[in-house]
Amino acid sequence: MGAGAGSGRGQLFLRSLLFLLLAGPPARHPARGQLRYAVPEELEHGAFVANLGEDLGLDVSTLSARRFRIVSRAGARQHLEVNLENGILFVNERIDREEVCEAGGTCLLHLQLLVESPLELYRVEVEVLDINDHAPTFPWQEYVLEVAESAVLGARFPLESAQDPDVGTNSVHTYRLSPNAFFSLEVHTRSDASKFAELVLERALDREQQRVHRVLLTALDGGVPERSGTAHILVTVLDANDNVPAFDQPSYGVSLPEDAPAGTLVIQLNATDLDEGPNGEIEYSFSGHAPPRVRELFHVEPRSGQVLLKGRLDYERASLHELYVQAKDRGPSAVAVHCRVLVHLLDVNDNAPEVTLTSVSTPVLEDAPPGTVIAVISVLDRDSGDNGRVSCEVGPNVPFELRSSFRNYYTLVTTQALDREVVPEYNVSITARDMGSPALLTRSTLTIPVSDVNDNAPRFLQPSYSVYVMENNAPGASICSVSALDPDCQQNAYLSYSIADGHIHGMPVGTYVSINSDSGHMYALRSLDYEQIRSFQIQVQAQDAGFPPLSANVTVHIFVLDQNDNAPVIVSPLPRNGSVATELVPRSARPGYLVGTVSAVDADAGLNSRLSYQLLQATDFTLFSVAPDTGELRTLRSFLEQDASRQQLVVQVRDGGQPALSATVSLLLSVVETMPQTLSDFSEFSLPPEVSSSSPLTLYLLVSLGSISFTFLLAILILTAIRCRGERRSRQGDSCSPPRCHCCPGSRPSSDGLKTSNLTAQPPAGTTAATCLDVPAGGPPGYCYKVCLGPESAQSDFMFLKPCSPPRNNEKDPGKRARPEQHLQGSKEAKQPNTDWLPPSTQRPALKRYQTQPWGNRGSRWKG
């Protein structure tokens, strides 16, 4: 080795530092919109390369948050790294230019810098500058060169070239030969600027004087500091082999496809030697300085001179191989001659494009605007020319497209608005195809999920709901269920149900129904009554949990179904004073005679309020019948002498519900010879048509009102009777005024009471407003009562009683006061009617019956 070959690793840093001082700081070259720096090789870890944050105009404080990083292929060594605290690009691991770039020329590191939020891509090229870290070396430390003593002056003997992995001025620059008297050195330059040396004979050799000559060959590079390598050349003087082989041409060129199989003939070399015998037999071989890579790929046949392919070629690794082949005869003092073979590789499209997802921003919001960057995609094809030109495209029918930002770099962006409810996830097929023939392609599938946005309001399954609830339901029972759907997902699809505020018959709707906020089940909070409320409607709202929340409303119509929970109510006839209703029937009634009508109402509806009447009990079932639909009570046949004069009937009113409810009314029918034109004890109530269809409350009000009126009238009668008794006691005598009272104070009432009385008195002449009848009282002697009937007494249920008063003191004829006997006689005689007063035509038959029938048997017709 030379003097520089023994340098240790300890001096490497000093040499690198010296290089930096001489070359200045790393260069920054803007080229085609990208940054370019230069850095020497063999720098230690942490060495400064460039301030990327400043050069790119980025805010250093946001580099970490924006995930500023260098994007590299999987498995590639990361020679450089970025400090996110200050944005400085530094050496991450030692860079050996000879290892990174096997071929000569410019050695570049291509960096792709990625920063997010927003997504930006930068390209940086870092040129690795060669330093003189390798000394020239020879294949062997000592060469044996056999030279015939007959060699002429000026003969040239090619020497093995030294190899230096460095490039440029750091490679082999020149050769030197140690001083001697026989040889000189000439240095030549090849087409690729490499140097080689030839030994030139300057003085005739004489084997007999000196058989061996030793010279020192030194190879020097052009680096700073200069490095060198040496080899000892042992020149052996031989007897004369006067001719040396000669190639047809000093240099050959051949083209070979990179996919050529092993054993392919690369070139057929031919060298000739004018000598004969062994001195003319030529052997071919690689020269001593052929690199190992060439020996791995190629093989030279020693006898034929054929250069054959031995290994597998790769255009992407090296497109040119330089072979040095020597030819030497087999004679003594053989001299080797050399030729150069340049093997140019032809690129074959044997590398499919490589697709790398540099950065992926998924999932993507469905409301992302068109042009949103989803991913950064890098495409690499190791072939060259058209074989390395790549086009990239996405599959059809997807809302995405590729946009080229740099060469072989694409951004995947959206082209239209997305809708997760239509397509929740996209499988985007990315196809990279080169321009070779045949073209090679690579497909890569990128799954892009779409993130949900609350853009859909809930939707009920029905536009409205109709619910039918039987009345008298149990409080808390479920009555129905509403359901809504939301095409969104996760919390945007979580629905809660509620009832909108409102009132039902003045009460908050929340007192009637409630709803389960999660399931939508609705519950009745109270027992419903069809007779109070027949239908109502509520608004149900479904709201999702998104932000902002969306909601929808639906109307729920609730119809209360009637249940047979109300029994019929008898409204006519009604018993009075706690006794059964009575009726008078003339014995002369013919079959079909209308005795009366039983009227009833039912608060229910439909079939539950459909009433039917039937005769439940009767003294004689052959005598009366009840119409099942109208309740009319009629006679079935004529009365016979043996028929009882008092007929007791029980009429049942039944509704059409299931089970049926019923009510009964007891009737007491008295069979009389003649009928008075007065009302019975259970006259019909004239009900308006709407009463039968109204609620029972109306009936209760009517009954209450009648009871209050009856009580009030009864009190007036009692007060009038008390007053009459007081006045009678204050009078002297027990007589009554004949004109005003037809009862004798001394007469005793019969045990039959009213039954034995005969009301034959006619209204006095001149009276127009009332008909006064003397009625014997059942009280003590001297009392009598006057029944005053108005003109409408035939249709009235009330009788006004007035006490009998004695004649006033100022009467003109007190002597005409009747004696008791006369009063008694007058009571037995029928009074003549006063011709000055005639009753209306409608009351004359009734009045006639009153005059001819006993009191106990008189009664008015009862109409239903």
Side-chain angles (χ1 to χ4, degrees), residues 342-353:
L342 296 178
V343 180
H344 299 274
L345 298 186
L346 301 177
D347 185 38
V348 175
N349 193 22
D350 58 345
N351 291 282

Side-chain angles (χ1 to χ4, degrees), residues 60-374:
V60 178
S61 61
T62 62
L63 293 182
S64 179
R66 297 182 64 185
R67 298 183 62 195
F68 183 60
R69 63 189 183 274
I70 297 176
V71 180
S72 59
R73 295 194 305 272
R77 299 178 63 180
Q78 194 77 14
H79 296 288
L80 302 176
E81 189 56 84
V82 178
N83 189 334
L84 297 181
E85 297 181 356
N86 50 26
I88 291 178
L89 181 67
F90 63 91
V91 176
N92 186 46
E93 62 177 25
R94 185 181 64 87
I95 305 175
D96 187 354
R97 181 194 174 282
E98 290 71 33
E99 179 183 350
V100 174
C101 302
E102 295 182 3
T106 304
C107 182
L108 295 176
L109 295 179
H110 298 278
L111 305 180
Q112 284 78 37
L113 303 177
L114 187 68
V115 62
E116 299 180 359
S117 301
L119 187 66
E120 296 178 1
L121 184 65
Y122 304 95
R123 294 190 67 180
V124 175
E125 290 183 352
V126 178
E127 180 181 358
V128 181
L129 301 177
D130 182 50
I131 65 173
N132 194 20
D133 57 342
H134 295 87
T137 58
F138 289 93
W140 294 280
Q141 297 298 315
E142 185 178 77
Y143 292 95
V144 177
L145 180 62
E146 295 177 347
V147 181
E149 61 177 341
S150 60
V152 296
L153 297 179
R156 298 174 182 274
F157 305 97
L159 301 177
E160 295 290 342
S161 299
Q163 299 295 322
D164 191 335
D166 298 326
V167 296
T169 58
N170 295 327
S171 63
V172 176
H173 181 64
T174 188
Y175 294 89
R176 291 177 185 174
L177 190 66
S178 61
N180 64 92
F182 293 92
F183 299 95
S184 65
L185 192 66
E186 285 188 5
V187 179
H188 299 279
T189 302
R190 299 187 181 96
S191 60
D192 60 352
S194 61
K195 309 287 185 176
F196 69 94
E198 289 181 341
L199 196 63
V200 180
L201 183 61
E202 297 290 345
R203 182 180 175 183
L205 299 176
D206 188 352
R207 182 179 179 276
E208 288 73 24
Q209 290 182 2
Q210 187 178 351
R211 299 181 61 180
V212 176
H213 297 271
R214 294 181 180 274
V215 293
L216 181 64
L217 180 62
T218 302
L220 301 172
D221 60 22
V224 178
E226 187 180 64
R227 288 173 173 269
S228 63
T230 60
H232 294 275
I233 300 177
L234 182 63
V235 179
T236 303
V237 181
L238 302 175
D239 284 336
N241 182 9
D242 299 326
N243 295 286
V244 296
F247 285 99
D248 297 338
Q249 57 190 58
S251 179
Y252 297 88
V254 65
S255 297
L256 189 66
E258 65 171 325
D259 61 347
T264 300
L265 177 63
V266 178
I267 191 172
Q268 175 69 60
L269 297 178
N270 184 37
T272 58
D273 194 328
L274 298 178
D275 295 328
E276 294 180 356
N279 293 333
E281 295 179 1
I282 300 174
E283 290 185 353
Y284 300 90
S285 64
F286 284 114
S287 61
H289 58 272
R293 178 65 177 168
V294 171
R295 297 178 184 271
E296 292 176 0
L297 295 176
F298 301 95
H299 169 68
V300 177
E301 285 292 332
R303 302 297 294 178
S304 63
Q306 291 182 344
V307 179
L308 303 176
L309 183 61
K310 178 182 177 182
R312 183 175 181 181
L313 301 177
D314 189 354
Y315 176 88
E316 289 70 39
R317 185 171 181 180
S319 61
L320 175 66
H321 295 281
E322 191 172 5
L323 285 62
Y324 290 92
V325 181
Q326 68 179 11
K328 184 170 62 174
D329 60 28
R330 302 180 65 183
S333 304
V335 177
V337 294
H338 301 77
C339 74
R340 183 178 66 168
V341 179
L342 296 178
V343 180
H344 299 274
L345 298 186
L346 301 177
D347 185 38
V348 175
N349 193 22
D350 58 345
N351 291 282
E354 299 176 6
V355 178
T356 303
L357 299 177
T358 302
S359 179
V360 181
S361 299
T362 56
V364 59
L365 292 174
E366 63 175 322
D367 62 349
T372 301
V373 178
I374 305 302

Side-chain angles (χ1 to χ4, degrees), residues 1 41 58 165-166 216 290 302 334 407 423 497 505 537 555 595 610 641-642 650 658 782 789:
M1 293 292 290
E41 63 174 331
L58 300 176
D166 298 326
L216 181 64
R407 184 175 180 270
V423 181
Y497 300 89
H505 288 196
Q537 66 182 27
T555 302
V595 179
R610 196 171 197 178
E641 291 296 333
Q642 61 271 22
V650 176
Q658 293 293 333
L789 300 177

Side-chain angles (χ1 to χ4, degrees), residues 420-431:
R420 190 207 65 83
E421 290 70 40
V422 177
V423 181
E425 183 179 85
Y426 291 92
N427 291 319
V428 181
S429 177
I430 302 172
T431 303

Side-chain angles (χ1 to χ4, degrees), residues 738-742 760-763 774 826-827 829-833 851:
R740 303 178 61 89
C741 184
H742 297 275
T760 57
Q762 299 294 330
D774 292 336
S827 63
E829 294 176 358
K831 295 183 178 181
Q832 297 299 322
Q851 295 174 352

Side-chain angles (χ1 to χ4, degrees), residues 622-639:
T622 64
L623 192 55
F624 299 97
S625 68
V626 175
D629 296 330
T630 61
E632 292 181 347
L633 181 63
R634 295 179 181 272
T635 58
L636 293 176
R637 59 178 176 82
S638 300
F639 287 96

